Amino acid sequence: MNSYLASILIFTGINLISVLGMFLLMGLTGLLSFGQVGFMAIGAYVTAISYMRFGLPFGAGLLLGVGVSLLVGLVIGTVTLKLRNDYFALATYGFAEVIKNVLIYFSGYTGGSMGVFGIPAIVTLPMVIVIFLAALVLCRNFKVSKLGRNSLAIRNDELAAKVMGINTFKQKLLVFLFSAVFGSVAGSLLAFSTYYIEPNMFNWSKSVELIVIVFFGGINSLTGVVFAGMALTLLPEILHFGAEWRMVIYTAIIIVTMIYRPTGLFGRWELSLSQILGWIKGRRKSAVGRGGQGA
Amino acid sequence: MLVQQIINGLSLGSVYALMAVGFALVFSILKFSNFSHGSVIMLSAYLGLWFSNRFDVGLFPTLLVCMIGGGTIAVIIEKIGFKPIRDKNGPLIYLFVSSIAISMFLQYLMTALLGGRFFMYRPLLKSSSWRFAGITIPIVNLAMLAASIVALVFLLYVLYRTTIGIAIRAAATDLSTPNLLGININMLISITFFISGALAGIAGLFLGMSLNVYPQLGGLVLKAFVATVVGGLGSLGGAVIAAFLLGLLETMITAYIGGAVTPMVSFTVMILFLLFKPEGVAGLLGLSSGSATQKL
């Protein structure tokens, strides 16, 4: 496989991991957050700095990033998750901006607006695929478990969910922390596949990109979100859009989706493993059948 | 020096107040945070720039064009981006997401079309600053302050002394009852968007004159949002007071501490208000307002 294709696939995989975090938060629980990119920044910087400055191995740095993200997420979540949804969205925007400003301001460690240079490209495609699949399985199990149903109840009607005995604050905090971990891991992987990181890579428009993907794929469909993530990350790479037009098209897509198909492209449809196995079996059977007729 | 900063702060606050009132008006009726308000501000600034250069006119004709243009843009945005969702009784969060998508779409569209560069207004006012007893104040700030106050007083008149104003206030309490009483609710929403857009037009012109015109100009709507939140949800009086306070606070911090920390401080103030005084300035002063911890 040539390295250009591999790097695109790595980038897509990393994007999908952060998209999955956003799916848990927004698709399942209905919490709109612009702060996802803040956790990506934390993951990226913590891992990069601990590797470059303190010689911590990549894996340990990644876990350290997750730890820091969890701590920060706990504080931010506790403070903001009791607010109305649109205020929560804004507070998370503020969080992402503060993180970015902190990165620029404390330039002694972070390199300021220049960022961190010379990060080795440790991340390989198989590594990204394994982590992505693990994240996917985690998400899928989350969705079909009691936790997922609690989240759906909160998204559809928070008051009703409370009445049914769900501790909505605790549940929302849990999902928020989950998504923080996803974001942080994606950030760490990103840092070790792009050679350098700088604060402007973690603009809030990145969070918007994730939100667009989740809405486009369908807030009820994990399959849809993964497909949308692949399509919207790969297409611009293949078609070589300029960065500006890419965002114009992205946002136009979400406006049209919101108006004409608010449930997203895939609606509620999910692809399951048994379905795939069923198809394969079915095809084999019909192939055998046809073969039999021919003979 | 201090007097000068206070006046500059008040004029900045007055533009924030214009934005915040437009923002709060839409919020009071449709109960969602309309982020496309920022793109109305940005597009009006471009419109005013184009108009004043093309026809070589002064401040007042440009102001008029910005108001009408801003109002029209806001109505178009409502018809394209919000009405289809309202018609389907979509959840409020869809309106919110749609408004963000629209504002980003317009911002990136302008970037793609004209590039990210800054455009400067040619001087629309005769002199650039006003000196008095040792203090120097940019004339544009004074014009900003004057125009904003006139617009706000006029808005108060419309809201409290005209039939349309009464209908808007009725719709703010409950959207369906005025409909039952024979008020054309879609018309009323369009009028509200027009008023809010016209205020955004004034804000856009003055922001463009003092900060230059660029695609991210609409991002300043966040200040309006902060003012609306600190003012108390949907309370116009609270939003105006909070906007002036925010303008003063930002000017003081920029003058005496440094511009780098200004956004952090205003966000911190907002979050503190959300946590400890969700009903905002309006709640402190006993004006009517909603609650920040309500369900969206």
Side-chain angles (χ1 to χ4, degrees), chain A residues 13 25 62 65 69 87 91 123 129 133 140 157 179 208 239 244 256:
Chain A
L25 197 61
L62 188 139
S69 289
Y87 287 7
V123 171
I129 290 176
L133 287 178
R140 186 254 169 207
D157 190 341
S179 77
V208 174
L239 299 176
E244 292 119 9
V256 173

Side-chain angles (χ1 to χ4, degrees), chain B residues 180-196:
Chain B
L180 290 174
L181 294 174
I183 293 171
N184 182 345
I185 213 73
N186 277 325
M187 191 61 178
L188 192 68
I189 288 174
S190 292
I191 292 173
T192 310
F193 268 89
F194 189 86
I195 296 174
S196 128

Side-chain angles (χ1 to χ4, degrees), chain A residues 18-295:
Chain A
S18 44
V19 164
L20 287 176
M22 190 58 105
F23 171 76
L24 287 181
L25 197 61
M26 199 183 70
L28 277 185
T29 324
L31 290 169
L32 194 64
S33 165
F34 298 113
Q36 198 63 10
V37 75
F39 293 113
M40 289 178 74
I42 292 177
Y45 270 86
V46 168
T47 316
I49 292 171
S50 59
Y51 183 91
M52 307 282 286
R53 294 230 170 197
F54 305 105
L56 217 61
F58 171 66
L62 188 139
L63 290 179
L64 187 66
V66 168
V68 174
S69 289
L70 279 175
L71 270 181
V72 174
L74 197 64
V75 174
I76 300 290
T78 314
V79 173
T80 57
L81 280 167
K82 283 183 177 156
L83 303 172
R84 286 167 43 112
N85 274 354
D86 47 351
Y87 287 7
F88 169 76
L90 193 83
T92 53
Y93 165 80
F95 160 68
E97 285 295 287
V98 167
I99 291 283
K100 210 180 95 180
N101 280 318
V102 165
L103 292 178
I104 295 173
Y105 202 74
F106 294 98
S107 48
Y109 278 99
T110 63
S113 43
M114 296 295 289
V116 180
F117 279 90
I119 306 168
I122 292 177
V123 171
T124 57
L125 187 56
M127 191 200 268
V128 172
I129 290 176
V130 167
I131 296 180
F132 164 67
L133 287 178
L136 188 64
V137 169
L138 191 67
C139 260
R140 186 254 169 207
N141 286 350
F142 192 97
K143 194 190 164 191
V144 298
S145 73
K146 185 183 163 212
L147 290 172
R149 287 194 298 275
N150 284 354
S151 280
L152 277 178
I154 291 174
R155 192 191 79 194
N156 291 335
D157 190 341
E158 189 165 343
L159 189 65
K162 255 184 204 164
V163 173
M164 297 301 287
I166 298 169
N167 186 341
T168 56
F169 174 69
K170 223 173 163 181
Q171 173 73 19
K172 287 199 281 188
L173 188 61
L174 182 78
V175 177
F176 189 63
L177 291 179
F178 257 103
S179 77
V181 170
F182 279 61
S184 174
V185 170
S188 303
L189 294 173
L190 188 67
F192 283 80
S193 58
T194 52
Y195 304 103
Y196 78 101
I197 46 174
E198 47 138 345
N200 273 328
M201 285 164 73
F202 305 101
N203 263 325
W204 75 298
S205 57
K206 179 74 194 164
S207 300
V208 174
E209 220 173 282
L210 302 178
I211 292 169
V212 170
I213 290 171
V214 172
F215 261 103
F216 183 52
I219 52 173
N220 288 314
S221 170
L222 189 57
T223 319
V225 168
V226 171
F227 271 102
M230 283 182 190
L232 290 185
T233 322
L234 283 174
L235 273 184
E237 294 291 341
I238 295 165
L239 299 176
H240 291 287
F241 284 137
E244 292 119 9
W245 285 106
R246 175 197 298 203
M247 285 312 284
V248 173
I249 291 165
Y250 268 23
T251 45
I253 285 174
I254 191 166
I255 295 170
V256 173
T257 317
M258 295 302 307
I259 295 171
Y260 293 106
R261 196 168 163 78
T263 50
L265 213 55
F266 281 63
R268 286 180 182 282
W269 189 75
E270 287 285 16
L271 187 67
S272 67
L273 204 60
S274 55
Q275 244 174 320
I276 301 174
L277 290 178
W279 282 346
I280 295 170
K281 254 184 214 159
R283 197 180 294 164
R284 201 176 286 156
K285 243 180 220 162
S286 64
V288 169
R290 256 183 273 128
Q293 273 172 358

